[in-house]
């Protein structure tokens, strides 16, 4: 074994460092060459050239995980926090409105019709607001739009408190449809910040999908607790305050806001090759989510229905975070095929009559949700013309919400008319198979070659 080298220091002899440093180059380090010679700069010693060419450079970022590198960027944590706060009410407002109206008016039919009206109006206004965001900037449009929606929710709660006529509820809920798509704006910021780093953008999209699942997992539980523990309007009021506060915090982060793109003759994202078939896939995928929610609630029919249903979102959230760490992304058809296969698990579990089996089936089935949505949203980003990204992603969300409404209605009909309690789980399975068929039927053009 070679003996350690000693060097003299003011404190006495000590061991020489094993690796050369700036202050202590080591006993065997070559003497520094003179900076210049009469003929020009002196060449580096051979040993130094060999060491420099054979030793790889290691950066501190390489040892960190993809999510740590993602959130180490300046300004990212602030706009992410604002976006999460603004998106949490998305899982609260619908449940809060149903509980509030049903408890005051004694009619679930009226509550469902009012919330469906808000969803229908929102499907028309959301793409228009997103187009304004692309044209004039996020902060300039999102803040007043969120303010109008906030006032609409306050008036809706007041109408319910005063037991106003039913027509007032429909008129008021229509005013809440100006809510900006905070999730789409957040993804647009990631697309701008990471435009030269596709791997990091994949991680960011996976995180955004996991955040959506987390909000839809926690939102209904929080809404139910507030409405039952305090008063019927509590869930709507708290959700409205969180929505406005989160949007203001999000919009205040101007350093990460994408610049306003100049107007281009590209036209609507609907004209982009492959966009309409992709929106049809989103429509069928939304039917999976809407029908699964209703048939699960009808099957369990008890206080544990919410926690059991939340397991699907939990599985999707975990899968989304893991998918973000993957260096390769799957094709959309592969994700949809996995979803179609896994959606059979809740049907098989419900056929056994075991609640634990159903909970496990929902947990595993949910793991196909986030990868599918991340891959689909990535396709939307690639197909959308430059300068229309918010509008393109809002169109995808609108198609998804329309599918959720359709799936909810189909699942409700199946829950009331199915011959067996577990028969309702055929609806999400059929919707997943439809989404896969639509994706496979799309022509393999240049724009859709990665499907």
């Amino acid at each position: 074994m070679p003996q350690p080298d000693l060097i003299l220091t003011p404190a006495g002899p000590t061991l020489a460092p094993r690796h050369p440093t700036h202050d202590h180059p080591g006993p065997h380090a070559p003497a520094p060459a003179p900076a210049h010679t009469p003929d020009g700069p002196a060449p580096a010693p051979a040993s130094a050239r060999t060491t420099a060419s054979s030793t790889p450079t290691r950066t501190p970022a390489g040892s960190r995980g993809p999510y740590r590198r993602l959130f180490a960027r300046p300004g990212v944590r602030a706009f992410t926090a604002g976006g999460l706060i603004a998106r949490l009410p998305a899982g609260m407002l619908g449940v809060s409105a149903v509980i509030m109206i049903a408890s005051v008016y004694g009619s679930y039919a009226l509550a469902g019709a009012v919330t469906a009206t808000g969803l229908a109006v929102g499907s028309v206004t959301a793409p228009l607001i997103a187009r304004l965001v692309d044209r004039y900037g996020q902060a300039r449009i999102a803040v007043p739009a969120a303010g109008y929606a906030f006032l609409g929710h306050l008036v809706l709660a007041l109408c319910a408190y005063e037991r106003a006529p039913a027509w007032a509820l429909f008129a008021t809920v229509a005013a809440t449809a100006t809510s900006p798509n905070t999730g789409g704006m957040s993804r647009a910021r990631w697309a701008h910040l990471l435009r030269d780093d596709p791997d990091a953008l994949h991680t960011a999209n996976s995180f955004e999908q996991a955040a959506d699942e987390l909000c839809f997992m926690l939102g209904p539980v929080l809404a139910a607790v507030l409405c039952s523990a305090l008063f019927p309007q509590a869930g709507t009021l708290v959700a409205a305050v969180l929505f406005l506060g989160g949007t203001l915090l999000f919009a205040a982060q101007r350093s990460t806001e994408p610049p306003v793109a100049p107007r281009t003759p590209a036209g609507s994202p609907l004209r982009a090759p492959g966009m309409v078939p992709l929106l049809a896939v989103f429509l069928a995928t939304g039917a999976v989510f809407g029908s699964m929610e209703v048939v699960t609630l009808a099957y369990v029919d008890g206080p544990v229905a919410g926690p059991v249903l939340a397991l699907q979102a939990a599985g999707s959230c975990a899968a989304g975070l893991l998918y973000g760490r993957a260096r390769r992304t799957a094709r959309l058809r592969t994700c949809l095929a996995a979803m179609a296969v896994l959606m059979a698990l809740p049907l098989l579990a419900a056929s056994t009559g075991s609640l634990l089996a159903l909970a496990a089936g929902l947990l595993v089935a949910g793991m196909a949700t986030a990868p599918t949505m991340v891959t689909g949203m990535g396709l939307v980003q690639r197909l959308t013309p430059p300068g229309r990204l918010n509008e393109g992603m809002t169109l995808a969300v609108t198609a998804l919400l329309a599918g959720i409404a359709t799936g909810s209605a189909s699942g409700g009909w199946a829950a009331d008319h199915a011959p067996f309690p577990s028969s309702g789980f055929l609806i999400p399975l059929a919707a997943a198979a439809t989404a896969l068929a639509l994706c496979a039927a799309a022509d393999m053009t240049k724009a859709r070659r990665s499907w």
Side-chain angles (χ1 to χ4, degrees):
M1 175 181 296
Q3 297 299 319
D5 296 313
L6 296 177
I7 60 174
L8 294 177
T9 67
T14 184
L15 290 176
R18 298 184 61 183
H19 298 285
T21 63
H22 178 75
D23 297 327
H24 301 286
H28 302 295
H36 291 81
T37 66
D39 297 327
S47 59
R49 292 196 301 267
T50 303
T51 303
S53 62
S54 60
T55 303
T57 302
R58 298 181 61 183
T59 59
S63 60
R64 295 185 293 179
Y67 290 105
R68 292 186 61 186
R69 295 197 299 271
L70 198 66
F71 289 100
R73 297 173 180 268
V76 163
R77 296 183 181 182
F79 89 76
T80 300
L84 288 176
I85 296 173
R87 270 186 285 179
L88 180 60
M92 298 177 59
L93 288 170
V95 175
S96 298
V98 169
I99 296 176
M100 176 179 66
I101 296 174
S103 62
V104 174
Y105 292 84
S107 172
Y108 278 97
L110 176 61
V114 170
T115 54
T117 300
L119 180 63
V121 177
S123 65
V124 177
T125 59
L128 299 178
I129 294 174
R131 182 178 300 177
L132 293 175
V133 168
D134 286 327
R135 182 173 299 177
Y136 299 105
Q138 294 185 356
R140 188 175 177 182
I141 300 299
V143 172
Y148 290 137
F150 173 76
L151 293 177
H153 289 297
L154 292 186
V155 175
L156 180 63
L158 181 61
C159 289
Y161 179 78
E162 296 292 340
R163 198 179 173 85
W167 64 264
L169 300 178
F170 288 99
T172 304
V173 77
T176 66
T178 61
S179 301
N181 181 14
T182 311
M185 292 190 296
S186 182
R187 288 177 170 88
R189 293 197 179 208
W190 287 119
H192 167 66
L193 295 174
L194 307 174
R195 56 189 179 276
D196 297 326
D197 192 345
D199 292 337
L201 182 58
H202 165 68
T203 302
N205 286 334
S206 299
F207 168 79
E208 290 295 327
Q209 186 60 39
D212 286 342
E213 299 296 340
L214 181 64
C215 292
F216 280 102
M217 181 172 58
L218 299 179
V221 177
L222 180 59
V225 170
L226 290 172
C227 293
S228 59
L230 299 179
F231 49 91
Q233 296 80 16
T236 299
L237 294 177
V238 172
V241 171
L242 289 175
F243 170 70
L244 180 60
T247 303
L248 292 177
L249 177 60
F250 178 87
Q253 314 308 314
R254 304 300 294 270
S255 63
T256 55
E257 181 177 350
V260 177
R263 295 188 183 183
T264 60
S268 171
L270 290 174
R271 300 179 181 178
M275 180 62 77
V276 172
L278 184 57
L279 293 181
V281 173
F282 271 93
L283 182 69
T285 305
V288 177
F289 306 148
S291 59
M292 182 64 77
E293 179 179 359
V294 173
V295 299
T296 301
L297 293 175
Y299 181 87
V300 178
D301 193 20
V304 298
V308 170
L309 185 61
L311 289 175
Q312 182 183 6
S316 179
C317 181
L321 294 176
L322 292 175
Y323 192 58
R325 298 181 65 90
R327 296 185 178 181
R328 296 185 60 184
T329 58
R331 301 176 69 178
L332 182 59
R333 281 182 292 180
T334 303
C335 295
L336 290 172
M339 175 181 286
V341 172
L342 293 181
M343 283 300 157
L345 295 180
L347 173 63
L348 298 176
S351 301
T352 65
S354 172
L355 189 59
L356 291 177
L358 177 60
L362 288 173
L363 179 66
V364 177
M367 293 180 180
T369 301
T372 302
M373 295 304 302
V374 170
T375 306
M377 282 297 182
L379 282 174
V380 171
Q381 292 176 0
R382 293 199 295 270
L383 296 178
T384 303
R388 309 297 288 268
L389 190 57
N390 284 290
E391 184 180 355
M393 287 190 291
T394 301
L395 286 172
V397 173
T398 301
L400 195 68
L401 292 176
I404 290 175
T406 303
S408 298
S410 302
W413 181 89
D416 290 338
H417 299 87
F420 303 103
S422 61
S423 301
F425 289 96
L426 286 170
I427 303 296
L429 176 59
T434 302
L436 176 60
L438 289 172
C439 182
D443 294 333
M444 294 299 294
T445 64
K446 182 179 180 181
R448 282 162 276 178
R449 189 170 296 169
S450 61
W451 282 32

